[in-house]
Structures are given as C-alpha cells and as structure tokens.
Amino acid sequence: MRLIKYEKEKLNSYFCTSKNSSRMKLSQFKFNLPESLVANNPAEQRDEARLMVLHKDSGKIEHKIFKDVLGYFDDKDVMILNNTKVFPARLYGNKEKTGATIEVFLLRELNKELRLWDVLVDPARKIRVGNKLYFGDDDLLVAEVVDNTTSRGRTIRFLFEGTDEEFRKNVEILGETPLPKYIKRKATAEDKERYQTIFAKHEGAVAAPTAGLHFSRELMKRLELKGVEFAEVTLHVGLGTFRTVEVEDLTKHKMDSEQFIIEQKDANIVNKAIEDRKKICAVGTTSMRAIESAVSANRTLKAANDWTSKFIFPPYDFSIANAMITNFHTPESTLLMMVSAFGGYENVMNAYEVAVKEKYKFYSYGDAMLII
C-alpha cells in the first residue's frame, strides 16, 4: 500500500510540474556578482580551470581542478557532448555612401542558394531596406538589406557569385570570434581556438557550449582509458542563450528556438547506460536541453532532428542525465534556472554564494561545476 501511495505521489508530482512551477519567480535567482569575477580570459590550460563539485543529495561541496573530474566517472559511464561549432559571426562593414561603420552579427543562414541570412545590426537606426553594406578593404563581401525583422534584426542577402566554399572562406577571413558582450575586449587569434571545444564538428553556433571548453585532448584520452564513453549531440547555440528574462512569473517567459540533432548511434550509447544504471553526464546546459527535448514515452533518448524552445526551471523531472557539468552563470539567467532545477534550488544558490566567496570565475571563460 505504501509503495502504491509513493508511486501515486511521484506521478502527481511528475504531471503537476508545469502547474506548480509558477511558484518559482525571477527574483529568486538574483545574487550579487562582483564584476571582478567575470572571466575575461580562459584558464591557461583548458583542464586546469577550477571545478566545484556539488553533491545534489547532501549539498556537500568540494573544491577541485577540472581534470579531477576523472575521479568521479567509471567504466561504461557516459558523457554527452555538444559538438556544435562556433562560426566567426561578428562582421564589421561600411554603409554605402556614408561609409558609416556597421556591426553585423550573423545569426543563421536562411537560404544557402540565395545567401540569405538572419542578422542583427548595430547601430540599427542607420540601416534600412535597400541599403548596401561593404565588408573588407577590397569589398570582399557585399550585402543588401532585404527586410526588417525586429528593432535590431534584418534579413540580408550577400551578393556573391562564387561557390559556397569560397563564400565561407571569406566569412572566415572577415569574421571575428563572437565573444559575448560582457567580455570587455576585442577578440584575438587565441580566442579563435579557445572559444571552441576540441570536439566541435558541425558549424552553426554563435556562442560556444562553454562547459565543453574545459576538455583537453589529454583529459579525453584519460577518460577513454578509464572506460568512459562519449555520446555526441548537436545543438546550435543561438544568441537567446544570453537573452534576459523580463517577467517575474517564469511560466510567461518564451525561449528562443534552437536547432538540435541526435543520431541513433548516440541515442543507443545513452540508452545502454540507462539500462545498465550507469552515470550519464550532460556536459553543459545545451546538451541537457537537447536530450530533454528528445525523450521517448518510456523515458529513453530518441534520435531527432528538430528545433527546441524548451525552458527548464524548478521544479522539473529530468529523464536522461543523472550528472551534469556546467559553468557558473549570470544572475536571473535561464541557464542558472536549469542548473537549479537539476541540482536543487537551495543547493545551487548556496553553491553560488560559496563560489562568489571563494572567487570562482563566472561565465563563458570561467570555472566549472560538476553536479553529481
């Protein structure tokens, strides 16, 4: 009888999650973050950033170095990596006639043949439909504005006659690594390598899946030798990852949609680990978002090629991963909300208080947290 009551309570909790989630408010994710703790540069070595380990059952906290993650995983455990690749999305061009400098941030390609792109422009007030923009000293690329999408958003068409390969090569030459605006410096040649995971494969992200930045080739090899398996997913991170939440009632916040792909072979690796009751670690909020957007009726992972606008915040019942690696996130961000849902709101907010006190570095180039 007790078991039936427990199962009933569990089911009620599962089905009422979205209804009860109105209890969590934006202001509950506020904390004081000194500007000095925002990381402007990566750690000298990828795997030597600091690592906070949070045990979600007890709330216990350990202070380690990232490569110590090796000690928390065993044979046949699985790490789920996001293999999206950041492209040099930030271009600087000049407006025809006036020569005014315009920043164009490439968001996504809408049509490969027509070379139509969804972009943000700055300053937007100067850019109207019909304007031409010139990029590079020799006008290596020229684009025409064909539509207004939002106050800063535009659709542009690149007027380029060559092959797709030549076009992308020119974007590579002209484009800058799209460091987030809170990094108060210009992107350098080092950023081209460091604001990219070592397992990046499929181009399409305008922001890095930052938890993955801590993995070095040496650490990956040592994990492999220990028997840890890797499953890959692709979620092309959009600028929505930085979008602020502007409503106190979290149920009213709408996430931007992001494309994700999960191959059958990777779903099989994860499902075998579920069956064998192994550790399954989502590396980053983007990996977690992808897998939670592809859960089958029997709570296993399914192959998918889709778009997700899933917003995860407490309380939430996770289906696939039982461990998570993540960076330290912004106050009141959707990323902090997801992490709080996974690690427990009180545990995570306490851990963030400790992180500030212990001077952990925050954001994209910052330190890491393992929730286990």
Side-chain angles (χ1 to χ4, degrees), residues 31-65:
F31 65 93
N32 183 38
L33 179 65
E35 205 167 310
S36 60
L37 297 186
V38 175
N40 270 306
N41 296 285
E44 208 166 299
Q45 301 297 327
R46 283 182 186 268
D47 57 14
E48 288 184 0
R50 293 168 75 189
L51 174 71
M52 178 186 284
V53 182
L54 172 62
H55 296 263
K56 58 181 177 175
D57 290 343
S58 64
K60 178 184 155 196
I61 288 170
E62 297 176 90
H63 302 287
K64 303 280 185 178
I65 298 296

Side-chain angles (χ1 to χ4, degrees), residues 207-220:
T210 55
L213 297 178
H214 300 292
F215 285 83
S216 63
R217 284 185 172 77
E218 296 74 18
L219 179 57
M220 297 274 284

